[in-house]
Amino acid sequence: MADATGNTAISTTGDTGDPPFPGISGTGRVRQPAALIRLLAGLAATALALLCADYARATTSGLAEDVAAAAALVPHPLGGVATGLTTAALLLLPGYSAARRLLRAPADRRHVLQQLSDGVLAAVLAYGAALALDLWIDGSAPFSLVSALTQPLPGDPLARTAPVYGYLAPVLAFLTASAARERRVPWTLLALSALAGLASGTATPTALLLGVLIGWTAAHGTRWAVGTPDPRPRPALLLHGLREAGLRPVSAVPAGPDRYLVRQQDGRPELDVRLLDRQAVTAALVQRAWRRMRLRTAPHPRALCSLRNGLEHEALVSYAAVAAGVRTRRIAATTEPCPDTAAVAYERLPGRTLDELADEELTDALLADAWGQLALLQRRAIAHRALDPSALLVDGAGAVHLVDLADGDIAAGELVLHSDVAQLLTTLALRTGAERSVRSAVTVLGPDAVAAAMPLLQPIALTPGTRHALKRAARAAQAAQAAPATPPAEGTPDLLEQIRAEVLRSRPQAPVRPVRLERLRPRTLLAVGGGVVAGWLLLSQFVATDRNPFAAVADADPFWLSLALLTAAASHVMGAMGFVGFVPERLDFRNAVLAQVAGSFVKLVSPGGVGGVALNTRFLQRAGIPTAQALSSVGVGQLLGLALHVLQLVAFIYLTGAETGDSERRALPLVTVGLAVAVALLAAVSAIAPARRWLVARLRPLTAEVLPRLVELLRNPGRLAVGFTGQLMVSIALIACLYCCTRAVGEDPGFAAVGVVFLIGNAAGNAAPTPGGAGFVDTALAGGLVATSMEHGAALAAVTLYRLLTLVLPVLPGWAAFSWLQRRGAL
């Protein structure tokens, strides 16, 4: 039948009202995120196993030899018989599993056949992958990998075992992809087959491991590629589960993703039923786990829990809210209609959510009622965690109900409770403005409670939907301000700042500084990942050379080493000139030099180029220069430094060619290609609307702040000349330092060639995510010096010496300068 909205409803039939229950699951297919996660994990584990087998050859070979020695104690005929029997049983296992499942579920044969076909496909893919790996290892792999994965057969020393053991991979792939629920017989046979292979000497531990990994990976790859039968229950089965829970449902109508509207017999209230299926739980696994690891206020990663735990938690929070006197949906029943799905049935509350109300309906009484409901939760230390517009349901009488408590917590901490207040402040301010939102909160909760939540007024503490709404409000406000005839909109880009200002009006002594909510920042992970890559690059550089770079550094020429030390020290003085020259205000030059020395210490805790900018900006702020002008001065120095960097690179390329007599032939093509690439990139960015908006947003500070500051500097040509000279000479000093290091180890690649190498390597270091560009700068400089015809070991020794002088040695003086400037209030 159809309901009043036109949706098709599943109803009960027969005199008793019992529905004719068909199969247990839906007829469609879905791609489950869990399958993709396991596929990627399997691929990574397989690659890691091959790498470990190759790089840890001694361990792998020793393990295989120990196993072979133990297998030699088993009589060879007995081992052969055991291998034959277990192989035959292994081959019969898929047929046994398929027949057993078809006979036990005749009413759901179509669903079982779908799963079995998935298993056959996975078995074929696993067999093909194992065969391809065998052919590659036998034909193209290095001998070290072949010897690590295989061993001579006991009866034929010229023949070797297979890298992947027998039919282990396809059988495991079939059982996993077909969702076989038998556990004891399959795993017992797999274990016996593995032991028989080891006992007969036809398998190695790595061959068994690769067989398991390939079979497991192929199974989950198949399940993700073709999808799996939809595990969610049909509405008829849902009705049956609700009936088993003591309710009297007669029809179920879809009301949204994983939601049903259920009508009951005998005039009983309608039900809002929410499904908790394993697919939805797994889909949130990565996101919730990441938020839990990153944020202090993130909810517990319930995606890692079972469906029953999630069901119990949601019911517990709902019962606690009802006991606290909060108006919310009451739970009528909970049920598990099928093994992979749970359901929570709420008594239906007719009404509209906050985002469905007109502006004139958002009265002060309604806002006060919303805060009153939150106050009841706060008194019992119950956190809602998702107070967005859909969680505020307004009934026909205008009363506010707080719904969707699935992510809530009981016995919540103060930080989480304050986060709820900040979330509701923002949700209401998006509709009514900051003034009304804060006024209603202060009226109900009091100024102290609202002020305590002010440090939580930051985007990262809000729900994703609220963050998107803030961005939409900011874009709407910018568009409104761009129209001359349109007055500014209420939702300005600084809505959170408006809320803070309103809170401070009611409580001027409220804490202003935001609470740090992040345990782990994405850039920290980026720095760690970059450090791992940098360490790998450095290790490969040291392994690739036959000459000990540390011995070459120890034997360095004292004269050139002294010159390298002097030029490295002079670079700090030149950097101070390039810094103060672009600041119209008068600065203490001695402190400016110390600030550049302190930058050597800051490099160790920030990526290349980032820490120096922040330190110089802070130095100008402490010198009494407003933040906007300080940022503009640093921006002017960075912009002109970039321009000089490019010009120096072109000049050194020309000089490098002049040394060999082909300057025009070298410099002109490089300049032409560089300009062509820049024009092409600019055209591509201009043609793509999102990229164009991104570029405009990045260039807006340049046109609004940096260029006016540069115009102001043009009135003082002497100071501007100092800045240009300093920016130019700091590069020359560092190039001279690197050149002296090459001479100190007995090489002479040419000053111009070293200049090209340094300028390119320094650019790579500023773009690298590691502190001081560690790893990336070293690799780029060593590779560049090798390209100038230097021997690899000498190039690595020169770079090692250069980094010791410019990165490691200045750390202690940098820390001393940093501490000295802090004690005197200059930083």
Side-chain angles (χ1 to χ4, degrees):
M1 70 178 187
D3 67 345
T5 62
N7 292 325
T8 301
I10 304 299
S11 62
T12 60
T13 59
D15 296 337
T16 63
D18 292 332
F21 305 115
I24 64 170
S25 61
T27 58
R29 281 181 172 264
V30 292
R31 283 191 176 97
Q32 296 193 3
L36 178 59
I37 295 172
R38 289 167 181 163
L39 168 63
L40 298 176
L43 292 174
T46 304
L48 183 61
L50 291 173
L51 285 174
C52 290
D54 192 17
Y55 283 94
R57 290 187 292 273
T59 303
T60 306
S61 301
L63 180 61
E65 290 173 0
D66 292 340
V67 172
L73 302 177
V74 179
H76 184 66
L78 180 60
V81 171
T83 303
L85 291 177
T86 54
T87 302
L90 202 63
L91 293 175
L92 292 175
L93 181 60
Y96 162 78
S97 176
R100 187 168 182 268
R101 295 177 63 187
L102 288 172
L103 292 174
R104 292 187 62 179
D108 201 28
R109 185 164 297 175
R110 180 182 177 184
H111 175 70
V112 174
L113 288 174
Q114 286 180 336
Q115 292 182 326
L116 293 177
S117 64
D118 294 345
V120 172
L121 178 59
V124 172
L125 293 177
Y127 183 77
L131 182 60
L133 183 61
D134 285 348
L135 294 176
W136 174 71
I137 291 177
D138 290 338
S140 304
F143 179 75
S144 59
L145 186 59
V146 175
S147 61
L149 297 178
T150 63
Q151 66 182 13
L153 287 172
D156 187 2
L158 297 179
R160 302 187 71 86
T161 59
V164 181
Y165 180 61
Y167 301 102
L168 195 64
V171 172
L172 181 61
F174 174 85
L175 295 174
T176 305
S178 62
R181 296 190 179 276
E182 301 90 350
R183 290 291 181 265
R184 293 183 180 178
V185 173
W187 285 107
T188 300
L189 283 179
L190 289 171
L192 289 176
S193 177
L195 290 175
L198 292 175
S200 63
T202 58
T204 62
T206 52
L208 295 176
L209 177 61
L210 287 176
V212 171
L213 290 176
I214 291 175
W216 193 77
T217 305
H220 291 293
T222 302
R223 300 186 74 176
W224 181 77
V226 303
T228 56
D230 194 344
R232 290 171 293 189
R234 291 173 180 164
L237 186 60
L238 176 62
L239 296 178
H240 176 63
L242 295 175
R243 184 178 298 280
E244 292 292 324
L247 304 177
R248 302 296 295 173
V250 296
S251 65
V253 181
D258 296 326
R259 289 182 181 272
Y260 283 92
L261 174 62
V262 176
R263 293 189 177 90
Q264 298 193 84
Q265 295 177 350
D266 305 328
R268 295 188 181 188
E270 295 180 335
L271 303 173
D272 282 322
V273 179
R274 190 173 83 90
L275 298 181
L276 289 79
D277 62 275
R278 202 170 298 279
Q279 176 192 354
V281 167
T282 309
L285 186 149
V286 176
Q287 181 181 4
R288 285 197 177 192
W290 165 243
R291 285 180 60 82
R292 180 65 182 170
M293 181 174 61
R294 181 185 177 193
L295 299 180
R296 296 168 58 194
T297 57
H300 295 285
R302 276 178 273 282
L304 301 176
C305 301
S306 65
L307 288 176
R308 176 170 290 276
N309 288 340
L311 187 69
E312 292 173 351
H313 177 84
E314 184 169 344
L316 179 62
V317 176
S318 179
Y319 287 140
V322 172
V326 178
R327 290 192 293 269
T328 186
R329 296 189 181 108
R330 292 179 179 270
I331 293 181
T334 59
T335 181
E336 293 187 64
C338 65
D340 291 326
T341 305
V344 183
Y346 294 93
E347 295 180 0
R348 184 170 182 268
L349 284 174
R352 295 173 294 165
T353 57
L354 185 69
D355 50 357
E356 295 174 338
L357 299 178
D359 291 342
E360 56 271 14
E361 297 180 271
L362 299 176
T363 62
D364 290 341
L366 187 145
L367 300 184
D369 192 21
W371 286 110
Q373 295 300 302
L374 180 62
L376 294 175
L377 288 179
Q378 298 266 312
R379 289 195 193 107
R380 297 291 184 91
I382 302 173
H384 189 288
R385 290 187 177 276
L387 287 169
D388 50 21
S390 63
L392 277 70
L393 186 69
V394 182
D395 61 19
V400 177
H401 301 255
L402 300 184
V403 297
D404 296 340
L405 290 160
D407 284 333
D409 270 329
I410 61 173
E414 288 188 2
L415 199 63
V416 179
L417 296 176
H418 294 336
S419 179
D420 269 359
V421 176
Q423 173 66 48
L424 189 57
L425 277 172
T426 309
T427 297
L428 297 179
L430 285 166
R431 290 298 311 273
T432 65
E435 182 182 357
R436 289 186 62 193
S437 176
V438 174
R439 185 174 67 243
S440 60
V442 170
T443 302
V444 177
L445 301 181
D448 292 333
V450 178
M454 194 168 69
L456 278 298
L457 281 169
Q458 42 187 311
I460 197 171
L462 305 176
T463 63
T466 304
R467 292 199 296 269
H468 293 321
L470 285 171
K471 292 179 181 178
R472 288 195 299 270
R475 288 195 294 267
Q478 289 176 351
Q481 291 173 353
T486 305
E490 179 65 34
T492 65
D494 296 324
L495 180 60
L496 295 181
E497 289 295 334
Q498 289 187 19
I499 297 175
R500 294 189 187 97
E502 293 296 331
V503 173
L504 287 174
R505 287 192 181 96
S506 63
R507 183 65 66 190
Q509 66 272 27
V512 179
R513 187 177 224 173
V515 174
R516 181 173 178 180
L517 300 178
E518 289 181 292
R519 289 193 182 102
L520 183 66
R521 297 185 178 183
R523 68 182 183 186
T524 304
L525 286 181
L526 184 63
V528 171
V532 172
V533 174
W536 180 266
L537 292 173
L538 286 176
L539 182 62
S540 62
Q541 290 281 341
F542 282 107
V543 171
T545 180
D546 295 331
R547 181 178 178 184
N548 188 348
F550 296 104
V553 169
D555 296 335
D557 188 320
F559 173 75
W560 289 106
L561 185 59
S562 301
L563 286 181
L565 182 61
L566 288 176
T567 52
S571 67
H572 298 294
V573 179
M574 300 300 134
M577 290 176 57
F579 171 54
V580 302
F582 297 116
V583 181
E585 293 80 6
R586 186 177 181 84
L587 297 174
D588 187 330
F589 186 75
R590 182 190 61 177
N591 287 348
V593 173
L594 292 176
Q596 307 313 302
V597 177
S600 302
F601 169 69
V602 176
K603 283 182 183 179
L604 292 182
V605 293
S606 63
V610 176
V613 171
L615 186 139
N616 288 336
T617 303
R618 178 64 177 169
F619 178 77
L620 294 179
Q621 289 174 328
R622 299 295 291 176
I625 300 174
T627 302
Q629 283 82 349
L631 289 172
S632 300
S633 297
V634 175
V636 168
Q638 293 289 312
L639 178 64
L640 296 180
L642 176 61
L644 286 175
H645 189 96
V646 174
L647 292 176
Q648 283 178 297
L649 180 59
V650 173
F652 278 112
I653 291 174
Y654 182 87
L655 293 174
T656 303
E659 293 176 355
T660 58
D662 57 349
S663 56
E664 293 82 2
R665 190 173 59 189
R666 285 195 178 191
L668 186 58
L670 288 173
V671 175
T672 305
V673 171
L675 291 175
V677 170
V679 171
L681 288 176
L682 185 60
V685 169
S686 302
I688 303 173
R692 184 170 60 250
R693 288 194 295 268
W694 177 85
L695 182 62
V696 170
R698 295 301 182 274
L699 292 179
R700 186 176 292 115
L702 176 65
T703 57
E705 301 173 359
V706 175
L707 292 182
R709 191 70 162 173
L710 183 58
V711 172
E712 183 179 356
L713 283 169
L714 291 175
R715 301 172 184 172
N716 192 342
R719 183 173 291 271
L720 195 61
V722 171
F724 271 108
T725 303
Q727 288 281 5
L728 180 65
M729 292 304 297
V730 68
S731 297
I732 298 298
L734 292 174
I735 293 171
C737 179
L738 180 58
Y739 176 74
C740 292
C741 291
T742 62
R743 296 300 302 272
V745 297
E747 300 287 337
D748 186 9
F751 191 84
V754 172
V756 174
V757 170
F758 169 80
L759 293 171
I760 295 176
N762 190 55
N766 287 331
T770 54
F776 295 90
V777 171
D778 309 86
T779 303
L781 292 180
L785 291 178
V786 170
T788 64
S789 73
M790 278 185 65
E791 190 268 330
H792 188 272
L796 190 58
V799 172
T800 302
L801 182 57
Y802 169 77
R803 296 291 274 173
L804 285 173
L805 295 178
T806 58
L807 181 65
V808 178
L809 190 61
V811 169
L812 187 58
W815 172 79
F818 188 85
S819 302
W820 191 87
L821 291 173
Q822 277 191 322
R823 286 196 300 269
R824 280 154 181 77
L827 279 181

